Structure formats: structure tokens, C-alpha cells
């Protein structure tokens, strides 16, 4: 296995951990007496530029049994439409689309389990803070934010709300 393949596989595994998803264990010889249905975790993504695709594909392909993308949000409605088309190509239900001015409405309408923020780095804090203040855990990629002041605001919000803020690194080739 080459370095590029190793790092890409490692990144997808790390993303799965960041999403809080358990890997499916190999089937055992003895079937359990009662199998509880798995409730898929519901995610929304704000920021549908190129960076969001790793998250969308991981949810809709690699973790489709335990995760579901229910909403997409961006300041550019055309990018939301392209992301919805990707869902259709991935063979899953097309998530609801919202413009960034309706971010709070999206959260109220869809009530996700977590919010993934892949907007421009300088705007991460805007969505992270708003989502945590409304009771949602958040996932974003590095950098967390771009200034000491906005970093402090995020830290203060996590302390005040008790919500989780995970920072990931999505490997780009």
C-alpha cells in the first residue's frame, strides 16, 4: 500500500471517529437473540464547496448504515443543488437545501444530531457558535478559526453550552 492510499484510508477512518460512528464488526457465528434497529445519526453540512465532499461521501457511502445527511446549506444556491445532485448519484435520499441566511431555520426544521461546518475558514466560528448555542454538537476542519478572538468565542461557547466541537483534517490530494 502506498503512502497516498494509506493516508487517504486513515483520513476516512478518522472522519468516521469524528462523526462518532462505530465501525461495523465482522459478522459473528452466533446471531444475537434480539437485534435492535440502528438509529442513524443525522447530519447537516453548511458550506458546500469542494471541501464538503469528503464528509458527504463518507456519510452517504462509507457510513450509510449509521449516518444520514439530512440538510445542506450554503450562501450559493447553485452549490447546494450540485451537492444534492451528488446525493442522487450516491443513491441516497436527497437532503433538504437551504441558503446560509436560513441556517437557523434549517436547524429548527431538521433537528440534526450534529452540524458539519465546511465554510471558508474565516466564517467557521459564525456557524459553530450558533449551532452550539442551539444545542448541537459541531464538527469542522482545521483551522478551527482564523483569529484569537473568534477562537476564544468558540471556546467560551463550548464551556457555556457543554456541546462538543471536533476539529478534523480532511486530506486533499
Amino acid at each position: 500500500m502506498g503512502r497516498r492510499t494509506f493516508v487517504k484510508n486513515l483520513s476516512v477512518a478518522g472522519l468516521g471517529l469524528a462523526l462518532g460512528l462505530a465501525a461495523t464488526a465482522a459478522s459473528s457465528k452466533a446471531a444475537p437473540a434480539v437485534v435492535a434497529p440502528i438509529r442513524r445519526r443525522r447530519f447537516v453540512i453548511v458550506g458546500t464547496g469542494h471541501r464538503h465532499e469528503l464528509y458527504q461521501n463518507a456519510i452517504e457511502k462509507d457510513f450509510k448504515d449509521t449516518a444520514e445527511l439530512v440538510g445542506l446549506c450554503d450562501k450559493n444556491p447553485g452549490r447546494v443543488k450540485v451537492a444534492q445532485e451528488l446525493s442522487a448519484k450516491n443513491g441516497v435520499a436527497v437532503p433538504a437545501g437551504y441558503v446560509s441566511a436560513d441556517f437557523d431555520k434549517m436547524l429548527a426544521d431538521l433537528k440534526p444530531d450534529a452540524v458539519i461546518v465546511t465554510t471558508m475558514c474565516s466564517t467557521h466560528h459564525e456557524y459553530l457558535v450558533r449551532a452550539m448555542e442551539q444545542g448541537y454538537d459541531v464538527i469542522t476542519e482545521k483551522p478551527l478559526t482564523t483569529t484569537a478572538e473568534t477562537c476564544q468565542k468558540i471556546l467560551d461557547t463550548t464551556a457555556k453550552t457543554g456541546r462538543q466541537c471536533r476539529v478534523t483534517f480532511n486530506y486533499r490530494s
Side-chain angles (χ1 to χ4, degrees):
M1 173 185 307
R3 179 186 175 277
R4 183 176 296 257
T5 303
F6 173 76
V7 172
K8 193 169 192 174
N9 288 341
L10 185 62
S11 295
V12 170
L15 177 60
L17 291 173
L19 295 175
L21 304 173
T24 305
S27 61
S28 97
K29 293 181 181 171
V34 177
V35 178
I38 296 173
R39 180 179 124 17
R40 296 191 308 165
R41 287 191 51 147
R42 298 165 42 85
F43 294 92
V44 295
I45 297 176
V46 58
T48 58
H50 184 323
R51 288 191 253 179
H52 96 283
E53 290 178 15
L54 177 74
Y55 299 88
Q56 182 173 358
N57 284 328
I59 291 168
E60 294 179 341
K61 292 179 177 181
D62 300 322
F63 300 100
K64 67 183 175 189
D65 293 335
T66 56
E68 174 183 18
L69 182 61
V70 296
L72 295 159
C73 181
D74 196 283
K75 65 182 180 180
N76 182 335
R79 286 201 304 231
V80 171
K81 184 172 174 32
V82 169
Q84 289 174 315
E85 290 168 0
L86 178 59
S87 291
K89 286 179 190 172
N90 286 341
V92 298
V94 175
Y98 292 81
V99 293
S100 55
D102 292 333
F103 176 72
D104 297 315
K105 179 179 177 3
M106 176 183 69
L107 297 180
D109 289 351
L110 302 177
K111 298 180 183 14
D113 294 308
V115 176
I116 300 170
V117 178
T118 57
T119 60
M120 294 183 319
C121 301
S122 62
T123 64
H124 283 181
H125 67 282
E126 296 173 22
Y127 298 102
L128 296 173
V129 168
R130 284 165 59 194
M132 288 188 290
E133 286 177 342
Q134 293 181 50
Y136 299 98
D137 291 332
V138 294
I139 300 165
T140 193
E141 62 174 28
K142 76 166 194 73
L144 173 62
T145 189
T146 57
T147 69
E149 293 80 17
T150 55
C151 183
Q152 189 61 57
K153 188 171 186 173
I154 293 167
L155 292 173
D156 292 344
T157 304
T158 59
K160 178 178 77 176
T161 64
R163 303 312 310 180
Q164 291 185 346
C165 178
R166 293 187 171 127
V167 181
T168 67
F169 171 69
N170 106 36
Y171 176 75
R172 297 177 201 85
S173 47

